[in-house]
């Protein structure tokens, strides 16, 4: 991804961090400083290179073998931002981190293609279920590729391997007496002459009276329901009123498997990492008492049930779909059992939204425990809460929210989308995508903080030291700073090891903030013009800052791989050093030549938020013509009346005035820049609805005070 730029790229560019903050550097303990300095002095002597994993990736005895899955997305629609952050993007970040830690890592995902959702969509679009699967598999794949989500293999469940493995597990359950037969009351549409699977029925929720509840779950209150419990049920195909009829089905006997499940849950949740919602949801299911759960459906589109008397049915999607993890791996490698029947060597991490939790911590584990074939079971689970859109929910039918293929059309690079989705990742509670916040975080956290630090450090080296990393003679201040970064690095590692992805990202931003403060307090723009000793001091500061820039390029890689690559291009390093070690070390030694620095990010006009909010808010009066580029969010022109932008410009101009005064520049030059600053403050006053003349009065009062 090309990294665009409109931020100032000269060495006078200052951080948005106020000077008073810059002096408030945290002090580390002597032990922390000693450890950091020892690592700094010795860390690069035996630094490992990036590990190139074999193809296919298989478990290796004695190594940390990490198997990662994200919930398989349905192919019945385009994924929206909530879908993307809830599973595939979160898992991608974790997988990239694991590779940086040199773990033997495999990330598997694919589309869930069987079941009622596909049949329903096929009816809506006038296509066959297979045509729907082919259409949306391609669309999903393209969306994830645009978001730079790097699967080791992205497959699908409509394969021979899926049928073979699902039926094998079924027979193993059958032979071990874990299946029971029972009669299920279902809704049957007289007009359509068919039993209606859950998603072919809609009606009023029996719990909260939401009028558009599905036959399997209510989107309003989140409760699971049986279709026959719906009030005022209606057939989704013809709109008719269905009748209750009986049909014979097979059930997984969860009651019999409950003791084994309890034992496994206790072990897995204590030894692994389970998000609190996953623990709560799982315990809730178990405490209510597990009952046999139906695993068959009266459908045509699905994995066939091989048992005599049931061959006209298919497996229920929530029995069948998780088996897709195994079958997709089997499409990746014939040696798939080395991953999925090897719990002694494999650690399994799974990512999903909270509504998928019980099927991964109760139903699927019971299936594998009952099948009794040494399956690799879940060790750690990361379940997000829900991401909403502004003050609404994502809805394709109502045109509300940004969907995967919309993101590319905004003109905003994929890495910016990745950054913001991870910044607001709903880890502990529901969160919301907000256009105003999205733009603000781009302009502050990325442009003024992270990007500003990288650009300042590299520009100083490029302009004042011939592009060569200077020698570093560490002072106590430098050692404390290195220890501070070291401390943040350890927190970052701990956060990502425990799948706290949002916190890990904030750790990276903290490091760049500390870097800005470090440069600000040392003022290398002054030092380089002083004595030889001053210039040497500037070199040390910039050598440390450039090495921090390299470290940040590695740590940001899981979140923003394109930005990571661009920083390393400017540093003129390859990805051979992309390893996250436990300590901050000077990877860039004195004399290393960097390339030509350029800004990493563009400012996004704050006024664009209203345009994009209207475009994706649903119920639009008319579509914007395709040729109209006015809502392309990346722009270099800033509206004069925009408060946030004016404030940023005032901060930048104020820094420029302070620097000129520090350099004792000519009086006329200083006054000219002060005049620009005052004009900007007047514009800000107007934008804020204040009297601009008050600004003049305030400024004159300050001048008189100084004369006294």
């Amino acid at each position: 991804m090309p990294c665009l730029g409109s931020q100032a790229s000269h060495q006078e560019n200052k951080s948005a961090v106020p000077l008073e903050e810059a002096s408030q550097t945290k002090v580390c303990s002597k032990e922390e400083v000693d450890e950091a300095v020892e690592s700094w002095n010795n860390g690069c002597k035996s630094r490992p290179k990036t590990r190139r994993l074999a193809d296919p990736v298989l478990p290796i005895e004695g190594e940390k073998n990490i198997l990662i899955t994200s919930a398989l997305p349905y192919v019945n629609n385009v994924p929206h931002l909530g879908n993307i952050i809830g599973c595939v993007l979160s898992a991608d970040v974790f997988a990239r981190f694991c590779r940086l830690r040199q773990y033997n890592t495999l990330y598997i995902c694919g589309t869930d293609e069987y079941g009622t959702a596909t049949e329903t969509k096929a009816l809506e679009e006038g296509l066959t279920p297979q045509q729907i699967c082919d259409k949306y598999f391609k669309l999903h794949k393209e969306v994830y590729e645009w978001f730079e989500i790097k699967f080791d293999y992205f497959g699908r469940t409509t394969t021979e391997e899926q049928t073979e493995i699902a039926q094998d597990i079924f027979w193993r359950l059958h032979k071990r007496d874990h299946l029971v037969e029972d009669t299920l009351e279902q809704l049957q549409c007289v007009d359509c002459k068919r039993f209606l699977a859950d998603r072919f029925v809609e009606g009023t929720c029996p719990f909260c009276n939401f009028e558009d509840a599905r036959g399997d779950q209510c989107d309003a209150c989140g409760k699971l329901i049986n279709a026959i419990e719906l009030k005022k049920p209606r057939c989704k195909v013809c709109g008719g009123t269905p009748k209750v009829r009986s049909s014979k089905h097979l059930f997984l006997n969860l009651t019999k498997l409950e003791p084994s499940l309890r034992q496994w849950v206790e072990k897995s949740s204590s030894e692994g990492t389970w998000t609190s919602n996953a623990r709560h949801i799982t315990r809730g299911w178990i405490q209510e008492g597990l009952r046999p759960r139906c695993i068959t459906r009266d459908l045509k589109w699905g994995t066939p049930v091989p048992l005599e008397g049931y061959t006209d049915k298919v497996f229920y999607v929530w029995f069948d779909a998780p088996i897709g993890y195994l079958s997709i791996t089997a499409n990746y490698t014939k040696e798939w059992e080395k991953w999925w029947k090897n719990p002694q060597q494999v650690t399994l991490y799974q990512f999903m939204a909270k509504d998928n939790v019980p099927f991964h911590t109760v139903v699927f584990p019971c299936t594998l425990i009952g099948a009794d074939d040494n399956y690799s079971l879940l060790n750690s689970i990361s379940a997000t809460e829900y991401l909403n859109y502004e003050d609404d929910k994502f809805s394709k039918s109502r045109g509300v929210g940004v969907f995967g293929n919309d993101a590319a059309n905004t003109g905003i690079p994929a890495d910016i989308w990745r950054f913001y989705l991870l910044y607001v990742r709903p880890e502990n509670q529901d969160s919301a995508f907000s256009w105003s916040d999205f733009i603000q975080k781009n302009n502050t956290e990325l442009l003024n903080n992270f990007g500003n630090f990288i650009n300042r450090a590299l520009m100083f080296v490029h302009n004042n030291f011939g592009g060569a990393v200077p020698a570093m003679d560490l002072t106590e201040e430098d050692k404390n700073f290195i220890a501070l970064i070291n401390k943040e690095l350890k927190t970052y590692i701990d956060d990502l090891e425990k799948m706290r992805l949002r916190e890990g990202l904030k750790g990276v931003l903290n490091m760049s903030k500390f870097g800005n403060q470090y440069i600000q307090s040392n003022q290398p723009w002054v030092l380089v013009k002083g004595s030889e000793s001053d210039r040497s001091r500037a070199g040390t500061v910039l050598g440390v800052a450039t090495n921090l820039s390299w470290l940040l390029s590695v740590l940001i890689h899981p979140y923003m791989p394109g930005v990571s690559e661009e920083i390393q291009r400017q540093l003129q390093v390859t990805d051979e050093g992309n390893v996250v070690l436990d300590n901050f070390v000077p990877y860039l030694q004195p004399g290393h030549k960097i390339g030509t620095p350029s800004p990493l990010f563009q400012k996004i006009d704050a006024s664009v938020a209203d345009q994009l909010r209207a475009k994706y808010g649903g119920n639009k009066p008319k579509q914007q013509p395709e040729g109209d580029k006015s809502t392309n969010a990346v722009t270099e022109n800033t509206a004069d009346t925009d408060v946030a932008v004016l404030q940023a410009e005032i901060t930048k101009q104020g820094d420029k005035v302070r620097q000129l005064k520090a350099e004792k520049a000519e009086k006329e030059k200083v006054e000219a820049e002060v005049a620009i600053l005052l004009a900007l403050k007047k514009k800000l006053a107007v934008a804020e609805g204040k009297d601009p003349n008050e600004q003049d009065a305030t400024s004159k009062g300050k001048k008189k005070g100084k004369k006294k």
Side-chain angles (χ1 to χ4, degrees):
M1 179 203 77
C3 294
L4 308 175
S6 66
Q7 87 191 88
S9 58
H10 47 83
Q11 63 171 309
E12 289 79 10
N13 179 27
K14 300 296 188 297
S15 168
V17 179
L19 282 171
E20 58 271 18
E21 283 189 29
S23 63
Q24 298 173 357
T25 305
K26 295 182 180 179
V27 178
C28 297
S29 69
K30 183 180 183 302
E31 292 75 19
E32 290 170 335
V33 172
D34 289 345
E35 179 194 350
V37 172
E38 182 180 0
S39 299
W40 179 270
N41 291 333
N42 302 315
C44 275
K45 294 178 181 177
S46 58
R47 181 177 178 82
K49 292 184 177 180
T50 299
R51 178 178 185 174
R52 309 297 178 185
L53 297 178
D55 185 20
V57 182
L58 295 173
I60 300 172
E61 188 172 354
E63 293 212 14
K64 197 163 186 175
N65 301 298
I66 305 294
L67 176 58
I68 301 168
T69 72
S70 55
L72 306 181
Y74 274 132
V75 291
N76 67 320
N77 220 325
V78 184
H80 58 64
L81 298 182
N83 302 140
I84 291 168
I85 188 57
C87 54
V88 292
L89 177 54
S90 294
D92 175 63
V93 173
F94 184 69
R96 287 177 181 272
F97 167 74
C98 288
R99 296 181 193 115
L100 289 176
R101 290 291 280 173
Q102 298 202 310
Y103 304 153
N104 192 43
T105 305
L106 180 68
Y107 176 23
I108 290 294
C109 190
T111 45
D112 176 10
E113 302 191 347
Y114 283 136
T116 316
T118 305
E119 283 199 15
T120 305
K121 194 67 175 179
L123 284 169
E124 288 176 5
E125 297 195 14
L127 299 173
T128 67
Q130 186 62 61
Q131 287 172 327
I132 284 291
C133 292
D134 294 342
K135 172 184 174 179
Y136 283 96
F137 171 78
K138 181 175 181 293
L139 194 151
H140 274 254
K141 199 167 185 295
E142 289 171 351
V143 166
Y144 303 143
E145 285 174 354
W146 185 83
F147 274 94
E148 297 192 61
I149 294 169
K150 187 180 179 183
F151 307 103
D152 287 291
Y153 187 77
F154 186 76
R156 51 201 305 188
T157 56
T158 51
T159 64
E160 293 180 6
E161 288 79 2
Q162 175 73 10
T163 300
E164 180 182 333
I165 295 171
Q167 290 184 347
D168 174 67
I169 289 173
F170 167 80
W171 281 121
R172 295 186 67 86
L173 290 167
H174 185 266
K175 290 174 183 176
R176 286 159 179 76
D177 198 29
H178 290 304
L179 301 179
V180 293
E181 294 181 325
D182 202 352
T183 299
L184 187 69
E185 288 192 326
Q186 288 182 268
L187 292 174
Q188 185 181 53
C189 180
V190 179
D191 295 333
C192 294
K193 296 187 171 85
R194 64 186 296 175
F195 280 104
L196 300 178
D198 300 339
R199 294 206 175 206
F200 279 96
V201 188
E202 292 178 336
T204 301
C205 175
F207 301 104
C208 70
N209 291 319
F210 177 61
E211 294 183 355
D212 291 317
R214 300 196 312 262
D216 59 347
Q217 188 173 7
C218 175
D219 286 336
C221 67
K223 290 189 177 181
L224 299 177
I225 52 182
N226 291 320
I228 58 170
E229 297 174 338
L230 287 171
K231 301 175 185 177
K232 300 179 182 178
R234 58 186 181 274
C235 173
K236 191 169 181 177
V237 179
C238 70
T241 302
K243 305 294 182 184
V244 177
R245 297 287 187 269
S246 296
S247 178
K248 191 168 69 170
H249 284 275
L250 294 167
F251 292 71
L252 177 63
N253 193 352
L254 297 181
T255 307
K256 181 180 177 182
L257 290 163
E258 184 176 330
S260 297
L261 178 74
R262 283 178 177 270
Q263 185 178 1
W264 169 77
V265 167
E266 182 63 31
K267 183 175 188 295
S268 179
S269 62
S270 60
E271 294 179 358
T273 299
W274 286 37
T275 49
S276 59
N277 56 1
R279 293 173 184 271
H280 178 75
I281 292 168
T282 304
R283 287 171 184 163
W285 270 55
I286 294 175
Q287 286 171 1
E288 287 182 10
L290 300 182
R291 300 184 297 275
R293 187 170 183 87
C294 188
I295 66 167
T296 56
R297 281 293 183 267
D298 289 298
L299 293 171
K300 299 298 181 184
W301 185 245
T303 301
V305 179
L307 184 66
E308 186 67 32
Y310 292 89
T311 53
D312 60 337
K313 304 180 190 297
V314 299
F315 289 126
Y316 176 41
V317 68
W318 275 115
F319 172 82
D320 187 60
I323 296 171
Y325 299 129
L326 283 65
S327 72
I328 289 170
T329 310
N331 276 274
Y332 167 68
T333 172
K334 293 180 180 178
E335 298 180 89
W336 66 274
E337 292 184 353
K338 290 184 177 180
W339 283 109
W340 285 102
K341 296 184 180 183
N342 190 6
Q344 297 79 17
Q345 294 183 352
V346 172
T347 305
L348 174 60
Y349 291 79
Q350 297 194 296
F351 289 79
M352 66 203 67
K354 65 180 178 182
D355 56 341
N356 287 335
V357 166
F359 304 105
H360 289 80
T361 62
V362 177
V363 179
F364 188 44
C366 279
T367 298
L368 297 182
I369 290 169
D372 190 23
D373 200 14
N374 195 40
Y375 288 102
S376 302
L377 298 176
L378 167 71
N379 298 98
S380 294
I381 178 172
S382 177
T384 62
E385 299 292 317
Y386 296 133
L387 178 73
N388 295 315
Y389 178 77
E390 296 280 350
D391 56 355
D392 205 344
K393 291 186 176 182
F394 289 89
S395 172
K396 193 69 176 176
S397 61
R398 294 187 292 118
V400 174
V402 178
F403 286 72
N405 50 353
D406 297 325
N409 296 332
T410 63
I412 301 172
D415 267 11
I416 310 300
W417 286 97
R418 287 175 63 107
F419 164 80
Y420 184 69
L421 289 175
L422 289 154
Y423 191 93
V424 297
R425 184 174 185 256
E427 293 188 357
N428 303 312
Q429 60 185 12
D430 290 357
S431 62
F433 176 91
S434 160
W435 279 112
S436 297
D437 190 53
F438 176 82
I439 291 172
Q440 182 189 41
K441 292 299 184 292
N442 175 81
N443 294 347
T444 55
E445 294 292 355
L446 291 181
L447 184 66
N448 292 343
N449 175 11
F450 185 88
N452 186 53
F453 169 71
I454 302 288
N455 192 249
R456 293 171 85 194
L458 273 55
M459 284 300 292
F460 272 117
V461 172
H462 182 265
N463 291 344
N464 296 283
F465 292 89
V469 175
M472 291 166 277
D473 183 15
L474 303 181
T475 65
E476 291 306 311
E477 179 188 356
D478 304 322
K479 293 174 183 178
N480 185 76
F481 175 72
I482 291 168
L484 179 62
I485 297 300
N486 221 37
K487 196 172 180 178
E488 284 291 329
L489 173 59
K490 292 179 185 299
T491 301
Y492 166 92
I493 292 171
D494 185 59
D495 282 334
L496 268 78
E497 291 279 5
K498 294 175 180 174
M499 303 177 291
R500 296 191 294 256
L501 310 182
R502 185 186 63 201
E503 295 306 309
L505 178 57
K506 290 181 179 178
V508 175
L509 297 174
N510 279 342
M511 289 185 224
S512 61
K513 176 184 175 183
F514 294 148
N516 274 314
Q517 294 173 353
Y518 175 65
I519 290 178
Q520 198 77 6
S521 65
N522 282 281
Q523 298 187 317
W525 57 90
V526 175
L527 293 172
V528 293
K529 296 179 180 179
S531 65
E532 191 61 35
S533 174
D534 287 343
R535 184 172 174 81
S536 174
R537 175 67 192 141
T540 296
V541 171
L542 295 174
V544 172
T546 305
N547 270 286
L548 177 55
S549 298
W550 169 81
L551 176 63
L552 291 174
S553 77
V554 177
L555 301 184
I556 201 67
H557 168 79
Y559 299 96
M560 306 177 78
V563 168
S564 171
E565 184 179 338
E566 174 61 16
I567 297 170
Q568 296 191 353
R569 185 191 67 77
Q570 294 183 26
L571 289 170
Q572 290 198 149
V573 296
T574 66
D575 65 355
E576 284 193 352
N578 283 5
V579 181
V580 173
L581 299 179
D582 293 335
N583 296 287
F584 176 28
V585 299
Y587 182 70
L588 303 176
Q589 291 294 296
H592 172 83
K593 294 280 287 187
I594 68 170
T596 303
S598 60
L600 296 171
F601 306 107
Q602 281 186 330
K603 181 179 291 183
I604 301 178
D605 189 340
S607 65
V608 171
D610 290 336
Q611 300 172 30
L612 292 172
R613 190 181 295 109
K615 183 173 183 178
Y616 298 108
N619 302 318
K620 299 181 295 294
K622 62 179 181 179
Q623 283 286 87
Q624 182 181 353
E626 192 170 322
D628 184 357
K629 302 299 181 183
S630 63
T631 60
N632 186 308
V634 181
T635 175
E636 296 184 17
N637 298 319
T638 304
D640 288 342
T641 57
D642 187 274
V643 173
V645 175
L646 283 169
Q647 287 173 335
E649 289 185 356
I650 288 169
T651 300
K652 178 179 169 184
Q653 186 66 18
D655 286 340
K656 189 173 184 180
V657 169
R658 280 189 288 273
Q659 182 185 337
L660 288 172
K661 289 180 178 179
E663 294 173 349
K664 298 181 179 179
E666 294 178 2
K667 182 180 178 182
E668 293 77 8
K669 186 174 182 181
V670 174
E671 288 180 347
E673 297 300 332
V674 169
I676 294 173
L677 177 61
L678 293 175
L680 286 169
K681 288 183 176 180
K682 275 190 175 184
K683 288 183 179 180
L684 177 61
V686 172
E688 291 178 332
K690 299 177 183 176
D691 183 356
N693 295 319
E694 288 181 5
Q695 178 60 46
D696 280 341
T698 303
S699 300
K700 288 174 183 177
K702 287 181 179 178
K703 288 179 182 178
K704 287 179 181 178
K706 287 181 180 178
K707 288 179 182 178
K708 292 178 183 177

